[in-house]
């Protein structure tokens, strides 16, 4: 995780922090806490994920090796961390949320493997390593993605369910976020729009589905594992929708401001394939303003949670200043 955070992130204050006097000091304190939190939860998550996946020696070994190769290649783990943080913000135990955190990361990783294929974005670098098809060949990469998608639903199906949310509700939630009216919808319109001018509304449609849907679902699944009330679920949904868009605007910005080495994936790709992005439509400064506006919107959505929303608030603030 990057630790050099730009001071502009100091501007958005959480209500529960207002008693602290010096903003810069305050920000450093928040960031150290968040770094510790992220590292601890990530370690717990990685252990659970390792246990949830078949060992790479299990027959047929190639597919399990390929699944593990992409899963453990060094992603930021934003979605699982959001899932765990949402559960914790509502007082839910981590053990309930962990299988769901593993499931969302499996779906996310499958989408990255398939997105990198020659028939899609044709990328050779992901998470700082050669992409799955470069290492295992195209057929095996497709299968590794398919297997990750499938195991995600097995992990959810194995959950016991909770008083307000049955296992079928969890499966419906994840299916909607990742299906043809979620993640895949975004990818379809994205593919169809390459090389064409598109409106900001269409761009929002792509990003709402391609990026925001799974981010929002990660939060919702965490909340469901904590037996969230309908009001709490709505609060986290509104937070996720704005945060997901802010995350994608930042992703577009980083694509043109960072190097491939810094990103761990091919930088400048959007411009190369004439992809519609926020900086292309609004200019770099306009995109930065938009990311800030959406982050503020996300933070405001958390207000009903009071101080319980502090961790999620910090994550939103950090997302605005991330460097990869
Ligand atoms: C179903 C093939 C298929 C695609 C669906 C999600 C998606 C559409 C494609 C994945 C590629 C992509 C550019 C998605 C947009 C969301 C995004 C910015 C992903 C990168 O997420 P990070 O930065 O990645 O969290 P790490 O590697 O840190 O997990």
């Amino acid at each position: 995780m990057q630790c050099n955070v730009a001071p502009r992130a100091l501007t958005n204050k959480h209500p529960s922090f207002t008693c602290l006097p010096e903003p810069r000091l305050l920000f450093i304190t928040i960031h150290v806490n968040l770094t510790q939190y992220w590292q601890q939860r990530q370690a717990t998550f990685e252990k659970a994920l390792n246990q949830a996946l078949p060992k790479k020696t299990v027959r047929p070994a190639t597919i399990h090796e390929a699944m593990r190769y992409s899963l453990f290649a060094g992603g930021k783990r934003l979605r699982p961390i959001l899932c765990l943080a949402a559960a914790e913000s509502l007082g839910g135990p981590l053990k309930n949320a962990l299988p769901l955190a593993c499931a969302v990361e499996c779906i996310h990783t499958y989408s990255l493997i398939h997105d990198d294929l020659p028939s899609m974005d044709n990328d050779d670098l992901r998470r700082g390593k050669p992409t799955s098809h470069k290492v295992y060949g195209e057929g095996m990469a497709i299968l590794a993605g398919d297997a990750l998608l499938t195991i995600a639903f097995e992990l959810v199906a194995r959950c016991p369910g909770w008083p307000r949310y049955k296992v079928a509700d969890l499966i419906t939630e994840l299916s909607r976020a990742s299906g043809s009216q979620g993640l895949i919808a975004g990818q379809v319109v994205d593919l169809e729009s390459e090389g064409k001018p598109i409106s900001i509304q269409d761009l929002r449609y792509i990003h709402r589905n391609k990026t925001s849907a799974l981010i929002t679902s990660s939060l919702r699944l965490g909340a469901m594992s904590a037996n969230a009330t309908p009001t709490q679920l709505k609060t986290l949904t509104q937070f996720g929708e704005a945060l997901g868009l802010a995350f994608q605007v930042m992703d577009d910005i980083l694509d043109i401001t960072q190097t491939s080495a810094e990103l761990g994936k091919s930088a400048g790709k959007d411009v190369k394939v004439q992809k519609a992005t926020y900086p292309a439509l609004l200019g770099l400064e306009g995109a930065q303003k938009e990311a800030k506006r959406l982050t503020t919107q996300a933070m405001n959505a958390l207000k009903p949670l009071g101080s319980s929303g502090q961790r999620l608030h910090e994550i939103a603030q950090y997302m605005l200043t991330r460097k990869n």
Side-chain angles (χ1 to χ4, degrees):
M1 198 170 125
Q2 276 280 348
C3 290
N4 50 337
V5 178
R8 67 188 149 84
L10 296 171
T11 47
N12 290 310
K13 279 190 221 132
H14 187 270
S16 60
F17 301 144
T18 45
C19 54
L20 293 164
E22 215 284 280
R24 181 150 179 83
L25 209 85
L26 164 66
F27 180 72
I28 291 166
T29 311
I30 293 167
H31 188 61
V32 166
N33 288 343
L34 179 62
T35 304
Q36 276 171 1
Y37 173 83
W38 200 296
Q39 283 169 349
Q40 283 167 3
R41 293 301 174 271
Q42 187 169 344
T44 308
F45 164 76
E46 304 284 342
K47 206 171 149 198
L49 189 63
N50 186 32
Q51 282 168 358
L53 264 280
K55 300 269 167 288
K56 62 180 176 188
T57 47
V58 171
R59 194 178 178 192
T62 322
I63 189 70
H64 299 127
E65 198 191 306
M67 289 159 78
R68 285 176 169 271
Y69 172 79
S70 296
L71 260 185
F72 293 102
K76 289 183 289 298
R77 309 304 199 197
L78 168 65
R79 294 149 194 83
I81 299 289
L82 285 174
C83 180
L84 301 181
E88 287 182 281
S89 74
L90 304 183
L94 276 183
K95 73 167 176 37
N96 287 6
L98 272 169
L100 300 169
C102 292
V104 294
E105 186 66 13
C106 286
I107 301 255
H108 170 59
T109 306
Y110 123 75
S111 79
L112 299 179
I113 295 175
H114 281 197
D115 188 59
D116 290 334
L117 289 169
S119 54
M120 298 232 193
D121 266 8
N122 193 19
D123 247 306
D124 48 18
L125 186 68
R126 175 67 69 179
R127 294 178 162 173
K129 288 180 156 189
T131 45
S132 182
H133 64 271
K134 286 277 162 196
V135 179
Y136 296 98
E138 203 174 334
M140 200 55 68
I142 293 172
L143 291 171
D146 292 344
L148 287 172
L149 174 63
T150 311
I151 204 171
F153 285 96
E154 182 186 336
L155 292 171
V156 179
R158 284 178 186 275
C159 288
W162 298 284
R164 284 199 188 92
Y165 305 98
K166 308 297 167 217
V167 175
D169 298 319
L170 307 174
I171 292 177
T172 306
E173 171 64 33
L174 195 57
S175 307
R176 288 205 175 136
S178 43
S180 62
Q181 293 183 76
L183 201 98
I184 291 176
Q187 182 77 345
V188 168
V189 180
D190 196 15
L191 277 179
E192 287 175 344
S193 309
E194 259 177 36
K196 292 185 201 152
I198 67 164
S199 64
I200 188 86
Q201 287 79 10
D202 285 345
L203 186 61
R204 283 210 181 99
Y205 174 90
I206 293 172
H207 292 163
R208 228 184 9 253
N209 288 289
K210 190 170 144 170
T211 310
S212 239
L214 193 59
I215 286 181
T216 305
S217 201
S218 305
L219 289 153
R220 284 174 58 87
L221 286 165
M224 289 170 161
S225 78
N227 208 31
T229 64
T231 310
Q232 288 169 329
L233 198 58
K234 192 171 165 204
T235 295
L236 287 168
T237 305
Q238 287 169 345
F239 170 68
E241 286 170 354
L243 181 77
L245 285 178
F247 180 82
Q248 183 58 58
V249 180
M250 282 309 298
D251 204 70
D252 287 357
I253 293 172
L254 294 174
D255 183 69
I256 55 169
T257 55
Q258 304 294 104
T259 63
S260 299
E262 284 163 329
L263 294 178
K265 60 181 180 183
S266 312
K269 192 79 197 289
D270 296 342
V271 179
K272 212 165 137 191
V273 299
Q274 292 180 287
K275 205 167 245 191
T277 62
Y278 279 88
L281 259 74
L282 307 176
L284 183 56
E285 214 176 296
Q288 278 160 343
K289 271 193 193 146
E290 181 66 355
K292 234 174 171 175
R293 184 189 71 76
L294 287 162
T295 304
T296 306
Q297 192 181 319
M299 289 166 168
N300 286 339
L302 283 177
K303 278 184 181 156
L305 293 186
S307 59
S308 314
Q310 179 180 324
R311 190 62 76 195
L312 292 169
H313 189 279
E314 290 169 14
I315 293 174
Q317 190 154 13
Y318 164 67
M319 282 299 120
L320 193 59
T321 57
R322 70 193 176 97
K323 298 282 181 271
N324 67 1

